[in-house]
Amino acid sequence: MSWAFFREFLANWKATGAIAPSSAGLARRMVQAAGIDQAGSILELGPGTGPFTALIREAMRPGALYLGLELNPNFVARLRSRFPDLAFEAAPAQEFDYSSFLGGIESFDAIVSGLPWTVFPEPLQVAILDRVMPRLRDGGVMTTFAYSGFHLLPNGRRFRALLRQRCSRLETSPTVWLNVPPAFFYAAVK
């Protein structure tokens, strides 16, 4: 899977945003912090090749609703094959019709994001956050990671400020040094 990920990175680095999938250690901590085991509805942004998805499915309670949004159609095809019991759409998070997917449910209990926020310009960061954060229930948690050092760049600092404005509490995890490159995550509580 990592070679497929690297090939996609080379083909479109702005959308893929990483040279390798996230480590199991980072994914496990983010899934736990998001409260996936208690969530009735879960949104995953940018599942890529599925390192978070595998742990989300493992932690999900029976009957929980899952939606994964991924721009890369090659990744979506792989995800659908690997996780046939989960729903994946090749769609941008800032344009997706969440109401039609959720049906009678008004919001997601948890959001796990693998999006490369630091490569996104401000208008895209704002558009995605303003589209997904209203779909997170009050008290729900969104987890998303940042590479150590990259969070100090202008796009990284701006993203943190934008996220902080849209949640009631923002926590930062310790660095996961075994991730390539080392990363930490934000847990944003609405």
Side-chain angles (χ1 to χ4, degrees), residues 27-100:
R28 191 173 298 108
R29 292 177 191 168
M30 283 179 58
V31 166
Q32 183 178 18
I36 297 300
D37 60 336
Q38 299 298 313
S41 54
I42 302 147
L43 173 62
E44 184 178 9
L45 302 174
T49 57
F52 291 97
T53 313
L55 294 171
I56 289 170
R57 186 176 67 178
E58 184 180 296
M60 281 173 57
R61 66 185 199 196
L65 182 69
Y66 169 93
L67 171 63
L69 296 181
E70 171 61 54
L71 280 180
N72 187 310
N74 295 326
F75 287 167
V76 171
R78 288 174 186 261
L79 290 163
R80 286 177 177 161
S81 175
R82 186 174 171 200
F83 306 103
D85 54 327
L86 300 179
F88 297 95
E89 296 293 335
Q94 71 276 16
E95 296 173 9
F96 189 76
D97 181 3
Y98 296 98
S99 296
S100 67

Side-chain angles (χ1 to χ4, degrees), residues 105-185:
I105 302 171
E106 292 190 24
S107 57
F108 292 99
D109 296 322
I111 299 173
V112 176
S113 172
L115 296 179
W117 296 102
T118 58
V119 301
F120 292 163
E122 182 176 9
L124 183 55
Q125 290 176 339
V126 169
I128 295 171
L129 287 173
D130 285 351
R131 187 73 171 183
V132 300
M133 289 304 283
R135 287 297 183 177
L136 182 62
R137 73 163 169 80
D138 289 342
V141 179
M142 174 178 158
T143 58
T144 189
F145 70 92
Y147 295 124
S148 295
F150 287 71
H151 69 292
L152 299 174
L153 297 173
N155 283 0
R157 288 195 315 267
R158 182 180 55 242
F159 172 71
R160 180 185 175 93
L162 291 169
L163 187 58
R164 183 179 298 279
Q165 292 168 4
R166 289 158 176 80
C167 66
S168 64
R169 187 173 79 244
L170 183 63
E171 299 173 0
T172 304
S173 78
T175 299
V176 178
W177 294 104
L178 295 178
N179 197 73
V180 178
F184 63 91
F185 66 87

